[in-house]
Amino acid sequence: DRETRPFIVDVELLSGGTFAEPLDGRQGFILVVEGTVGVLDADGTTALYGEGSLIELSKTGDAVEVHSDTGGRFVLATGQALDEPIAKGGPFVMNTKSEIYHAFQDYSAGKFGPAL
């Protein structure tokens, strides 16, 4: 029942190409798939990232700007921040350790349905 405004795009930049996207309060990440890309930081400097790099975007940024001198490909994924606590245990991610405990109980009791 929440409006998280998910946005996911696969971008291929040609040599000298630039991509810009307003963030409008969203947070997210960039995953570099091929080549090298430069990401403009809030202070106006550009950091270079190669294939396999995962760049977390600041919650306070107004926009993201990515360019590539040699060409590159990346995935940008953003969404509205939930600002909720995170608890993790095994394969489960919930909000509290108590919820993790109950998830393990439900799993052990077969409440997640048959394994395929």
Side-chain angles (χ1 to χ4, degrees):
D1 62 346
R2 294 181 189 218
E3 175 99 16
T4 58
R5 300 179 343 188
F7 177 80
I8 301 171
V9 63
D10 183 339
V11 179
E12 183 172 358
L13 293 176
L14 300 177
S15 178
T18 299
F19 173 87
E21 174 68 24
L23 292 177
D24 300 323
R26 295 173 287 155
Q27 69 182 70
F29 64 86
I30 294 171
L31 174 64
V32 181
V33 179
E34 295 174 358
T36 301
V37 300
V39 179
L40 185 64
D41 290 336
D43 63 5
T45 62
T46 298
L48 295 177
Y49 299 94
E51 186 174 318
S53 296
L54 182 66
I55 304 104
E56 183 178 350
L57 302 175
S58 168
K59 285 198 244 185
T60 60
D62 294 329
V64 61
E65 185 176 313
V66 183
H67 75 273
S68 181
D69 292 335
T70 59
R73 185 171 155 232
F74 64 93
V75 173
L76 169 66
T78 67
Q80 188 65 40
L82 296 178
D83 293 322
E84 294 182 352
I86 297 174
K88 57 185 176 179
F92 303 112
V93 178
M94 309 295 272
N95 295 113
T96 66
K97 288 292 183 187
S98 176
E99 290 174 338
I100 295 290
Y101 175 76
H102 289 293
F104 274 110
Q105 285 182 319
D106 289 346
Y107 177 76
S108 296
K111 293 182 180 179
F112 286 8
L116 301 178

PDB file of all heavy atoms in Angstrom, residues 35-66:
ATOM      1  N   GLY A  35      32.252  -1.579 -19.542  1.00  0.00           N
ATOM      2  CA  GLY A  35      33.023  -0.369 -19.758  1.00  0.00           C
ATOM      3  C   GLY A  35      33.301   0.412 -18.494  1.00  0.00           C
ATOM      4  O   GLY A  35      33.293  -0.116 -17.393  1.00  0.00           O
ATOM      5  N   THR A  36      33.522   1.702 -18.678  1.00  0.00           N
ATOM      6  CA  THR A  36      33.827   2.616 -17.575  1.00  0.00           C
ATOM      7  C   THR A  36      32.908   3.822 -17.678  1.00  0.00           C
ATOM      8  O   THR A  36      32.715   4.370 -18.769  1.00  0.00           O
ATOM      9  CB  THR A  36      35.291   3.081 -17.648  1.00  0.00           C
ATOM     10  OG1 THR A  36      36.147   1.934 -17.593  1.00  0.00           O
ATOM     11  CG2 THR A  36      35.630   4.003 -16.496  1.00  0.00           C
ATOM     12  N   VAL A  37      32.346   4.221 -16.538  1.00  0.00           N
ATOM     13  CA  VAL A  37      31.491   5.402 -16.506  1.00  0.00           C
ATOM     14  C   VAL A  37      31.977   6.348 -15.417  1.00  0.00           C
ATOM     15  O   VAL A  37      32.592   5.934 -14.431  1.00  0.00           O
ATOM     16  CB  VAL A  37      30.000   5.051 -16.279  1.00  0.00           C
ATOM     17  CG1 VAL A  37      29.477   4.150 -17.394  1.00  0.00           C
ATOM     18  CG2 VAL A  37      29.779   4.422 -14.921  1.00  0.00           C
ATOM     19  N   GLY A  38      31.701   7.610 -15.601  1.00  0.00           N
ATOM     20  CA  GLY A  38      32.006   8.620 -14.602  1.00  0.00           C
ATOM     21  C   GLY A  38      30.717   9.113 -13.980  1.00  0.00           C
ATOM     22  O   GLY A  38      29.749   9.396 -14.689  1.00  0.00           O
ATOM     23  N   VAL A  39      30.688   9.197 -12.652  1.00  0.00           N
ATOM     24  CA  VAL A  39      29.509   9.689 -11.943  1.00  0.00           C
ATOM     25  C   VAL A  39      29.876  11.006 -11.283  1.00  0.00           C
ATOM     26  O   VAL A  39      30.853  11.089 -10.538  1.00  0.00           O
ATOM     27  CB  VAL A  39      29.016   8.661 -10.892  1.00  0.00           C
ATOM     28  CG1 VAL A  39      27.809   9.197 -10.148  1.00  0.00           C
ATOM     29  CG2 VAL A  39      28.692   7.330 -11.555  1.00  0.00           C
ATOM     30  N   LEU A  40      29.089  12.032 -11.563  1.00  0.00           N
ATOM     31  CA  LEU A  40      29.323  13.356 -11.006  1.00  0.00           C
ATOM     32  C   LEU A  40      28.899  13.376  -9.542  1.00  0.00           C
ATOM     33  O   LEU A  40      27.752  13.074  -9.220  1.00  0.00           O
ATOM     34  CB  LEU A  40      28.544  14.404 -11.802  1.00  0.00           C
ATOM     35  CG  LEU A  40      28.769  15.857 -11.439  1.00  0.00           C
ATOM     36  CD1 LEU A  40      30.206  16.264 -11.724  1.00  0.00           C
ATOM     37  CD2 LEU A  40      27.795  16.739 -12.214  1.00  0.00           C
ATOM     38  N   ASP A  41      29.828  13.698  -8.645  1.00  0.00           N
ATOM     39  CA  ASP A  41      29.536  13.784  -7.218  1.00  0.00           C
ATOM     40  C   ASP A  41      28.905  15.129  -6.883  1.00  0.00           C
ATOM     41  O   ASP A  41      28.976  16.076  -7.664  1.00  0.00           O
ATOM     42  CB  ASP A  41      30.826  13.623  -6.393  1.00  0.00           C
ATOM     43  CG  ASP A  41      31.381  12.214  -6.453  1.00  0.00           C
ATOM     44  OD1 ASP A  41      30.605  11.280  -6.707  1.00  0.00           O
ATOM     45  OD2 ASP A  41      32.603  12.064  -6.251  1.00  0.00           O
ATOM     46  N   ALA A  42      28.321  15.217  -5.671  1.00  0.00           N
ATOM     47  CA  ALA A  42      27.663  16.450  -5.227  1.00  0.00           C
ATOM     48  C   ALA A  42      28.628  17.625  -5.174  1.00  0.00           C
ATOM     49  O   ALA A  42      28.226  18.770  -5.371  1.00  0.00           O
ATOM     50  CB  ALA A  42      27.015  16.225  -3.865  1.00  0.00           C
ATOM     51  N   ASP A  43      29.915  17.338  -4.941  1.00  0.00           N
ATOM     52  CA  ASP A  43      30.903  18.431  -4.857  1.00  0.00           C
ATOM     53  C   ASP A  43      31.432  18.850  -6.230  1.00  0.00           C
ATOM     54  O   ASP A  43      32.327  19.681  -6.330  1.00  0.00           O
ATOM     55  CB  ASP A  43      32.054  18.055  -3.926  1.00  0.00           C
ATOM     56  CG  ASP A  43      32.860  16.863  -4.416  1.00  0.00           C
ATOM     57  OD1 ASP A  43      32.596  16.361  -5.544  1.00  0.00           O
ATOM     58  OD2 ASP A  43      33.760  16.425  -3.685  1.00  0.00           O
ATOM     59  N   GLY A  44      30.895  18.272  -7.300  1.00  0.00           N
ATOM     60  CA  GLY A  44      31.292  18.668  -8.644  1.00  0.00           C
ATOM     61  C   GLY A  44      32.428  17.881  -9.246  1.00  0.00           C
ATOM     62  O   GLY A  44      32.820  18.130 -10.379  1.00  0.00           O
ATOM     63  N   THR A  45      32.986  16.906  -8.508  1.00  0.00           N
ATOM     64  CA  THR A  45      34.050  16.064  -9.063  1.00  0.00           C
ATOM     65  C   THR A  45      33.433  14.808  -9.668  1.00  0.00           C
ATOM     66  O   THR A  45      32.317  14.422  -9.337  1.00  0.00           O
ATOM     67  CB  THR A  45      35.075  15.670  -7.985  1.00  0.00           C
ATOM     68  OG1 THR A  45      34.409  14.904  -6.977  1.00  0.00           O
ATOM     69  CG2 THR A  45      35.714  16.889  -7.359  1.00  0.00           C
ATOM     70  N   THR A  46      34.179  14.197 -10.554  1.00  0.00           N
ATOM     71  CA  THR A  46      33.713  12.975 -11.205  1.00  0.00           C
ATOM     72  C   THR A  46      34.555  11.804 -10.742  1.00  0.00           C
ATOM     73  O   THR A  46      35.784  11.866 -10.774  1.00  0.00           O
ATOM     74  CB  THR A  46      33.807  13.106 -12.742  1.00  0.00           C
ATOM     75  OG1 THR A  46      32.957  14.176 -13.164  1.00  0.00           O
ATOM     76  CG2 THR A  46      33.372  11.826 -13.431  1.00  0.00           C
ATOM     77  N   ALA A  47      33.893  10.736 -10.306  1.00  0.00           N
ATOM     78  CA  ALA A  47      34.572   9.497  -9.930  1.00  0.00           C
ATOM     79  C   ALA A  47      34.331   8.475 -11.036  1.00  0.00           C
ATOM     80  O   ALA A  47      33.214   8.344 -11.543  1.00  0.00           O
ATOM     81  CB  ALA A  47      34.037   8.991  -8.601  1.00  0.00           C
ATOM     82  N   LEU A  48      35.384   7.748 -11.428  1.00  0.00           N
ATOM     83  CA  LEU A  48      35.286   6.742 -12.480  1.00  0.00           C
ATOM     84  C   LEU A  48      35.052   5.369 -11.870  1.00  0.00           C
ATOM     85  O   LEU A  48      35.659   5.010 -10.858  1.00  0.00           O
ATOM     86  CB  LEU A  48      36.563   6.724 -13.327  1.00  0.00           C
ATOM     87  CG  LEU A  48      36.850   7.978 -14.140  1.00  0.00           C
ATOM     88  CD1 LEU A  48      38.179   7.830 -14.872  1.00  0.00           C
ATOM     89  CD2 LEU A  48      35.719   8.274 -15.117  1.00  0.00           C
ATOM     90  N   TYR A  49      34.183   4.589 -12.518  1.00  0.00           N
ATOM     91  CA  TYR A  49      33.838   3.245 -12.050  1.00  0.00           C
ATOM     92  C   TYR A  49      33.871   2.284 -13.232  1.00  0.00           C
ATOM     93  O   TYR A  49      33.368   2.596 -14.308  1.00  0.00           O
ATOM     94  CB  TYR A  49      32.446   3.222 -11.425  1.00  0.00           C
ATOM     95  CG  TYR A  49      32.321   4.115 -10.222  1.00  0.00           C
ATOM     96  CD1 TYR A  49      31.859   5.422 -10.341  1.00  0.00           C
ATOM     97  CD2 TYR A  49      32.680   3.660  -8.961  1.00  0.00           C
ATOM     98  CE1 TYR A  49      31.743   6.246  -9.237  1.00  0.00           C
ATOM     99  CE2 TYR A  49      32.567   4.475  -7.849  1.00  0.00           C
ATOM    100  CZ  TYR A  49      32.099   5.766  -7.993  1.00  0.00           C
ATOM    101  OH  TYR A  49      31.994   6.570  -6.897  1.00  0.00           O
ATOM    102  N   GLY A  50      34.435   1.099 -12.991  1.00  0.00           N
ATOM    103  CA  GLY A  50      34.524   0.086 -14.037  1.00  0.00           C
ATOM    104  C   GLY A  50      33.475  -1.000 -13.877  1.00  0.00           C
ATOM    105  O   GLY A  50      32.693  -1.018 -12.915  1.00  0.00           O
ATOM    106  N   GLU A  51      33.501  -1.912 -14.817  1.00  0.00           N
ATOM    107  CA  GLU A  51      32.573  -3.032 -14.861  1.00  0.00           C
ATOM    108  C   GLU A  51      32.495  -3.743 -13.507  1.00  0.00           C
ATOM    109  O   GLU A  51      33.508  -4.025 -12.879  1.00  0.00           O
ATOM    110  CB  GLU A  51      33.036  -4.010 -15.937  1.00  0.00           C
ATOM    111  CG  GLU A  51      32.091  -5.145 -16.204  1.00  0.00           C
ATOM    112  CD  GLU A  51      32.547  -5.991 -17.370  1.00  0.00           C
ATOM    113  OE1 GLU A  51      32.997  -5.405 -18.384  1.00  0.00           O
ATOM    114  OE2 GLU A  51      32.469  -7.221 -17.263  1.00  0.00           O
ATOM    115  N   GLY A  52      31.276  -4.003 -13.052  1.00  0.00           N
ATOM    116  CA  GLY A  52      31.047  -4.691 -11.781  1.00  0.00           C
ATOM    117  C   GLY A  52      30.922  -3.762 -10.590  1.00  0.00           C
ATOM    118  O   GLY A  52      30.570  -4.197  -9.491  1.00  0.00           O
ATOM    119  N   SER A  53      31.177  -2.471 -10.773  1.00  0.00           N
ATOM    120  CA  SER A  53      31.070  -1.520  -9.666  1.00  0.00           C
ATOM    121  C   SER A  53      29.606  -1.277  -9.302  1.00  0.00           C
ATOM    122  O   SER A  53      28.737  -1.169 -10.175  1.00  0.00           O
ATOM    123  CB  SER A  53      31.700  -0.177 -10.036  1.00  0.00           C
ATOM    124  OG  SER A  53      33.085  -0.321 -10.247  1.00  0.00           O
ATOM    125  N   LEU A  54      29.356  -1.173  -8.001  1.00  0.00           N
ATOM    126  CA  LEU A  54      28.028  -0.844  -7.488  1.00  0.00           C
ATOM    127  C   LEU A  54      28.145   0.466  -6.719  1.00  0.00           C
ATOM    128  O   LEU A  54      28.885   0.552  -5.737  1.00  0.00           O
ATOM    129  CB  LEU A  54      27.517  -1.958  -6.577  1.00  0.00           C
ATOM    130  CG  LEU A  54      26.115  -1.775  -6.009  1.00  0.00           C
ATOM    131  CD1 LEU A  54      25.069  -1.813  -7.125  1.00  0.00           C
ATOM    132  CD2 LEU A  54      25.822  -2.860  -4.997  1.00  0.00           C
ATOM    133  N   ILE A  55      27.434   1.477  -7.168  1.00  0.00           N
ATOM    134  CA  ILE A  55      27.531   2.812  -6.588  1.00  0.00           C
ATOM    135  C   ILE A  55      26.210   3.137  -5.904  1.00  0.00           C
ATOM    136  O   ILE A  55      25.156   3.180  -6.555  1.00  0.00           O
ATOM    137  CB  ILE A  55      27.831   3.881  -7.662  1.00  0.00           C
ATOM    138  CG1 ILE A  55      29.100   3.526  -8.425  1.00  0.00           C
ATOM    139  CG2 ILE A  55      27.941   5.257  -7.052  1.00  0.00           C
ATOM    140  CD1 ILE A  55      28.862   2.978  -9.799  1.00  0.00           C
ATOM    141  N   GLU A  56      26.256   3.364  -4.596  1.00  0.00           N
ATOM    142  CA  GLU A  56      25.060   3.741  -3.851  1.00  0.00           C
ATOM    143  C   GLU A  56      24.852   5.242  -3.997  1.00  0.00           C
ATOM    144  O   GLU A  56      25.773   6.033  -3.802  1.00  0.00           O
ATOM    145  CB  GLU A  56      25.219   3.370  -2.381  1.00  0.00           C
ATOM    146  CG  GLU A  56      23.995   3.671  -1.551  1.00  0.00           C
ATOM    147  CD  GLU A  56      24.156   3.259  -0.100  1.00  0.00           C
ATOM    148  OE1 GLU A  56      25.135   2.578   0.248  1.00  0.00           O
ATOM    149  OE2 GLU A  56      23.280   3.644   0.697  1.00  0.00           O
ATOM    150  N   LEU A  57      23.630   5.631  -4.324  1.00  0.00           N
ATOM    151  CA  LEU A  57      23.315   7.043  -4.500  1.00  0.00           C
ATOM    152  C   LEU A  57      22.855   7.648  -3.178  1.00  0.00           C
ATOM    153  O   LEU A  57      22.122   7.025  -2.410  1.00  0.00           O
ATOM    154  CB  LEU A  57      22.218   7.218  -5.552  1.00  0.00           C
ATOM    155  CG  LEU A  57      22.546   6.651  -6.937  1.00  0.00           C
ATOM    156  CD1 LEU A  57      21.344   6.768  -7.851  1.00  0.00           C
ATOM    157  CD2 LEU A  57      23.743   7.370  -7.527  1.00  0.00           C
ATOM    158  N   SER A  58      23.257   8.853  -2.932  1.00  0.00           N
ATOM    159  CA  SER A  58      22.904   9.571  -1.707  1.00  0.00           C
ATOM    160  C   SER A  58      21.414   9.882  -1.672  1.00  0.00           C
ATOM    161  O   SER A  58      20.805  10.190  -2.695  1.00  0.00           O
ATOM    162  CB  SER A  58      23.696  10.874  -1.625  1.00  0.00           C
ATOM    163  OG  SER A  58      23.197  11.699  -0.621  1.00  0.00           O
ATOM    164  N   LYS A  59      20.835   9.814  -0.488  1.00  0.00           N
ATOM    165  CA  LYS A  59      19.422  10.179  -0.323  1.00  0.00           C
ATOM    166  C   LYS A  59      19.209  11.677  -0.516  1.00  0.00           C
ATOM    167  O   LYS A  59      18.103  12.114  -0.764  1.00  0.00           O
ATOM    168  CB  LYS A  59      18.939   9.824   1.086  1.00  0.00           C
ATOM    169  CG  LYS A  59      18.705   8.378   1.329  1.00  0.00           C
ATOM    170  CD  LYS A  59      17.828   8.245   2.552  1.00  0.00           C
ATOM    171  CE  LYS A  59      18.536   7.540   3.666  1.00  0.00           C
ATOM    172  NZ  LYS A  59      17.655   7.310   4.819  1.00  0.00           N
ATOM    173  N   THR A  60      20.265  12.451  -0.380  1.00  0.00           N
ATOM    174  CA  THR A  60      20.107  13.904  -0.429  1.00  0.00           C
ATOM    175  C   THR A  60      20.369  14.500  -1.800  1.00  0.00           C
ATOM    176  O   THR A  60      20.201  15.706  -1.977  1.00  0.00           O
ATOM    177  CB  THR A  60      21.065  14.569   0.593  1.00  0.00           C
ATOM    178  OG1 THR A  60      22.407  14.211   0.261  1.00  0.00           O
ATOM    179  CG2 THR A  60      20.743  14.129   2.007  1.00  0.00           C
ATOM    180  N   GLY A  61      20.754  13.703  -2.770  1.00  0.00           N
ATOM    181  CA  GLY A  61      21.059  14.235  -4.096  1.00  0.00           C
ATOM    182  C   GLY A  61      19.812  14.639  -4.857  1.00  0.00           C
ATOM    183  O   GLY A  61      18.752  14.044  -4.718  1.00  0.00           O
ATOM    184  N   ASP A  62      19.952  15.683  -5.693  1.00  0.00           N
ATOM    185  CA  ASP A  62      18.833  16.150  -6.511  1.00  0.00           C
ATOM    186  C   ASP A  62      18.727  15.397  -7.825  1.00  0.00           C
ATOM    187  O   ASP A  62      17.651  15.265  -8.388  1.00  0.00           O
ATOM    188  CB  ASP A  62      19.002  17.640  -6.821  1.00  0.00           C
ATOM    189  CG  ASP A  62      18.906  18.494  -5.578  1.00  0.00           C
ATOM    190  OD1 ASP A  62      18.180  18.106  -4.640  1.00  0.00           O
ATOM    191  OD2 ASP A  62      19.562  19.547  -5.544  1.00  0.00           O
ATOM    192  N   ALA A  63      19.891  14.940  -8.320  1.00  0.00           N
ATOM    193  CA  ALA A  63      19.923  14.273  -9.617  1.00  0.00           C
ATOM    194  C   ALA A  63      21.171  13.403  -9.696  1.00  0.00           C
ATOM    195  O   ALA A  63      22.086  13.531  -8.888  1.00  0.00           O
ATOM    196  CB  ALA A  63      19.933  15.300 -10.750  1.00  0.00           C
ATOM    197  N   VAL A  64      21.180  12.511 -10.680  1.00  0.00           N
ATOM    198  CA  VAL A  64      22.370  11.716 -10.948  1.00  0.00           C
ATOM    199  C   VAL A  64      22.781  12.010 -12.391  1.00  0.00           C
ATOM    200  O   VAL A  64      21.936  12.116 -13.277  1.00  0.00           O
ATOM    201  CB  VAL A  64      22.123  10.201 -10.710  1.00  0.00           C
ATOM    202  CG1 VAL A  64      21.047   9.660 -11.622  1.00  0.00           C
ATOM    203  CG2 VAL A  64      23.406   9.408 -10.884  1.00  0.00           C
ATOM    204  N   GLU A  65      24.093  12.188 -12.587  1.00  0.00           N
ATOM    205  CA  GLU A  65      24.620  12.428 -13.931  1.00  0.00           C
ATOM    206  C   GLU A  65      25.767  11.463 -14.174  1.00  0.00           C
ATOM    207  O   GLU A  65      26.703  11.389 -13.379  1.00  0.00           O
ATOM    208  CB  GLU A  65      25.102  13.863 -14.076  1.00  0.00           C
ATOM    209  CG  GLU A  65      25.541  14.183 -15.494  1.00  0.00           C
ATOM    210  CD  GLU A  65      25.922  15.637 -15.665  1.00  0.00           C
ATOM    211  OE1 GLU A  65      25.156  16.506 -15.208  1.00  0.00           O
ATOM    212  OE2 GLU A  65      26.987  15.894 -16.258  1.00  0.00           O
ATOM    213  N   VAL A  66      25.668  10.721 -15.271  1.00  0.00           N
ATOM    214  CA  VAL A  66      26.666   9.705 -15.623  1.00  0.00           C
ATOM    215  C   VAL A  66      27.147   9.979 -17.040  1.00  0.00           C
ATOM    216  O   VAL A  66      26.347  10.306 -17.917  1.00  0.00           O
ATOM    217  CB  VAL A  66      26.050   8.284 -15.545  1.00  0.00           C
ATOM    218  CG1 VAL A  66      27.094   7.221 -15.842  1.00  0.00           C
ATOM    219  CG2 VAL A  66      25.389   8.041 -14.195  1.00  0.00           C
TER     220      VAL A  66
END
